[in-house]
Amino acid sequence: MGPALLGLAAAVIVVGLATYRGLWFPAQWSSFSFPLFGSSRLAHWQAYGGYYGALVVLGLAWMWLLKTVRGNPRFPAWLVLAVFVLWSIPFVVGPSVSSEDVYAYAGLGQLVERGLDPYEVGVNALGPVPAVQVSPPFWRDNPTPYGPLYVRAAWLASAAAHDSVRGTVVILRLFGIACLLLLALPLVALARRSGMPPPLALAGVLCSPIVLVELVGAAHNEPFMLLLLAAGVAVGLAGLDRRSAADPSQGLPNGRMALVATGVVLCGAAASVKLPGLFGAVLLGWLWAGPGTTYRRRLPGLFAASALAAAVLVAISLASGLGLGWVHALDEPQRAYTLLAPFTAIGVVLQGVLVRLGLPAGWVLTVLRPAGTILGIAVAGLLIIRADRLGGPLAMGLALLALAVTTPAVWPWYLIWGFVFVATVAMPRSLQVAVVALNLALTPLGPGTLDVTGHPTAAALFMTVVVLAGAGWAFTRLRRADGASWPATGRVAVEHA
């Protein structure tokens, strides 16, 4: 099949150039290089052009695959999964692409294995070992903010690899691929709710270039969280679907209530990987009382679901043997200043203006970055309140996107949180182009490329304009959808994408 072969070729070039000896990739652990691609004889412009060109080709192959799947109503879901596995193979065997974080995960597992608390110390506590040498400088002295469920997974990977960095990275990648393959089950269930062809949703999510690069190649821990979160939302919504047709506000039968409770538990488990998983429980709690009920009648379900998810999170923390130290480490990622974070970018621009005017400027980022987080939580809450109109999957996706873009430090893979749910409702061409463009945002220049403190304020201003334009577009689409059913809108988008 044309798209599959084109995507595989592009993936090989991306990973091959990741072994380029020009040191613009963090490939210290990799002892191999692809023929030609890994040669230091390549000029920088050739390596850059090849890398970006291959990413664009990978994106085009993905869009071609989506068009092929959409044009064939009987396209088998298993074939989509086969394409995903095929495109993943180069990313599994190569060095980390776009991020060094997975090397810190290897060190994280070794910390636990040695009885050290990863919520109190960074990987430097291991001493001069390979995992420390290849870890990003940011994580060498800072404790980890990741939940105890993932920390234990990293420990198991490190133990299985006998503390080998390469072995741990490969195991974590294979674990991520397994999570993504299992993610297909809740994705199919959520797509059917919205009238989206399941193979199209699977191709949209699993075969997207950003998932391949950031979740397979860079081995970020989102697949574990997204599997638990999507499963929780799908199971919970399935329980909420079986209400009395005569009176939707009636209480749920015991069997259906058990399904909703199971969904909330899964969302609590997702939060023990990354905290945004808690918002799945908030969504299910809000919808628990049924459509058409007053806000006051929804509060008991909201409180019960939130309390149950929090209890699961605490129970997993204690059972893991790592305790609740992760709570104190949650602010660690906020120490980074990334260009994709609109409130940080706006703050940098405003700070520069105030400095030029001779006015006090030290307060700007201190105020704007927390304000962005508060605004993001508020917007996510408002979107969940509108879940009856938007539909559960879309409300969840938009809420997660709102959270992702308002955090003090935004990285491209954060946007995958919401993209997974939005893609089960609609996959219009504009969304496809946005995903391909976003995959180019993290350049192969190594850590700090998106750090606004090292860039002229013009760059921060550019990103501010781009993000505000995107937010305005999303707001306009929401306003237009006020009189329509979003699932129906999703079907139209699928048919005309």
Side-chain angles (χ1 to χ4, degrees):
M1 186 170 61
L5 296 178
L6 181 64
L8 177 62
V12 169
I13 295 174
V14 169
V15 175
L17 287 171
T19 65
Y20 173 63
R21 299 307 179 187
L23 299 183
W24 41 289
F25 272 107
Q28 296 98 321
W29 74 274
S30 178
S31 62
F32 70 94
S33 62
F34 279 44
L36 178 64
F37 298 131
S39 172
S40 58
R41 299 174 186 174
L42 285 178
H44 281 290
W45 70 267
Q46 293 172 322
Y48 276 66
Y51 175 80
Y52 283 117
L55 280 181
V56 171
V57 171
L58 181 61
L60 294 176
W62 172 60
M63 295 173 71
W64 185 8
L65 176 66
L66 290 175
K67 183 177 180 180
T68 302
V69 175
R70 186 175 58 248
N72 183 357
R74 296 185 178 181
F75 199 95
W78 67 264
L79 190 53
V80 173
L81 299 180
V83 172
F84 163 66
V85 171
L86 181 68
W87 288 2
S88 296
I89 291 173
F91 292 101
V92 171
V93 300
S96 183
V97 180
S98 89
S99 170
E100 296 173 300
D101 283 359
V102 67
Y103 305 130
Y105 300 164
L108 185 63
Q110 293 182 31
L111 283 174
V112 177
E113 192 172 358
R114 297 189 185 185
L116 299 171
D117 188 349
Y119 300 125
E120 294 292 337
V121 298
V123 295
N124 266 341
L126 294 170
V129 299
V132 174
Q133 296 168 6
V134 297
S135 290
F138 183 85
W139 293 121
R140 292 179 186 175
D141 291 311
N142 294 324
T144 184
Y146 305 122
L149 199 57
Y150 185 77
V151 172
R152 278 298 176 187
W155 165 69
L156 287 173
S158 180
H162 302 289
D163 291 346
S164 164
V165 175
R166 299 182 192 179
T168 303
V169 169
V170 171
I171 290 173
L172 287 175
R173 283 176 174 159
L174 293 175
F175 175 63
I177 289 176
C179 289
L180 290 170
L181 288 172
L182 290 173
L183 178 64
L185 297 175
L187 286 181
V188 167
L190 294 173
R192 285 174 175 162
R193 290 180 57 88
S194 304
M196 181 82 150
L200 185 59
L202 294 179
V205 173
L206 299 183
C207 299
S208 64
I210 193 169
V211 166
L212 292 167
V213 170
E214 302 297 351
L215 302 193
V216 179
H220 289 291
N221 51 19
E222 268 70 13
F224 196 13
M225 180 195 76
L226 289 171
L227 170 61
L228 295 169
L229 177 57
V233 171
V235 170
L237 291 178
L240 292 171
D241 281 343
R242 301 301 180 90
R243 298 179 182 276
S244 167
D247 185 4
S249 65
Q250 281 185 357
L252 290 169
N254 290 338
R256 295 299 164 181
M257 187 173 292
L259 275 181
V260 180
T262 300
V264 171
V265 168
L266 288 170
C267 292
S272 68
V273 177
K274 279 192 168 181
L275 202 57
L278 279 178
F279 279 81
V282 173
L283 172 71
L284 296 177
W286 180 257
L287 296 175
W288 201 314
T293 53
T294 63
Y295 288 0
R296 185 174 181 179
R297 291 190 61 183
R298 291 179 186 265
L299 292 180
L302 179 62
F303 290 148
S306 301
L308 178 56
V312 170
L313 180 55
V314 171
I316 290 176
S317 300
L318 297 178
S320 70
L322 298 170
L324 298 173
W326 57 269
V327 176
H328 304 293
L330 287 175
D331 63 342
E332 292 300 328
Q334 299 180 16
R335 297 174 187 260
Y337 290 73
T338 61
L339 193 61
L340 289 177
F343 282 86
T344 298
I346 292 170
V348 169
V349 173
L350 180 57
Q351 199 172 53
V353 171
L354 292 177
V355 168
R356 288 182 176 84
L357 294 176
L359 299 174
W363 59 270
V364 175
L365 289 172
T366 305
V367 171
L368 282 183
R369 299 182 91 208
T373 301
I374 294 171
L375 178 62
I377 293 173
V379 171
L382 290 174
L383 288 165
I384 287 175
I385 288 174
R386 297 186 61 188
D388 285 328
R389 178 185 295 274
L390 296 173
L394 186 62
M396 187 79 264
L398 294 177
L400 290 173
L401 286 174
L403 289 172
V405 300
T406 54
T407 57
V410 178
W411 296 102
W413 54 90
Y414 287 8
L415 303 182
I416 300 176
W417 305 344
F419 167 66
V420 164
F421 289 92
V422 172
T424 65
V425 178
M427 186 54 68
R429 187 60 55 86
S430 57
L431 180 59
Q432 298 171 34
V433 172
V435 169
V436 174
L438 180 64
N439 208 39
L440 303 175
L442 195 57
T443 66
L445 295 174
T449 301
L450 298 180
D451 190 334
V452 296
T453 58
H455 288 73
T457 54
L461 179 60
F462 172 76
M463 283 308 304
T464 301
V465 171
V466 169
V467 171
L468 289 177
W473 175 84
F475 179 75
T476 302
R477 292 296 300 267
L478 281 172
R479 290 289 301 272
R480 290 177 179 175
D482 277 344
S485 166
W486 267 94
T489 305
R491 286 193 291 272
V492 172
V494 170
E495 293 167 1
H496 294 86

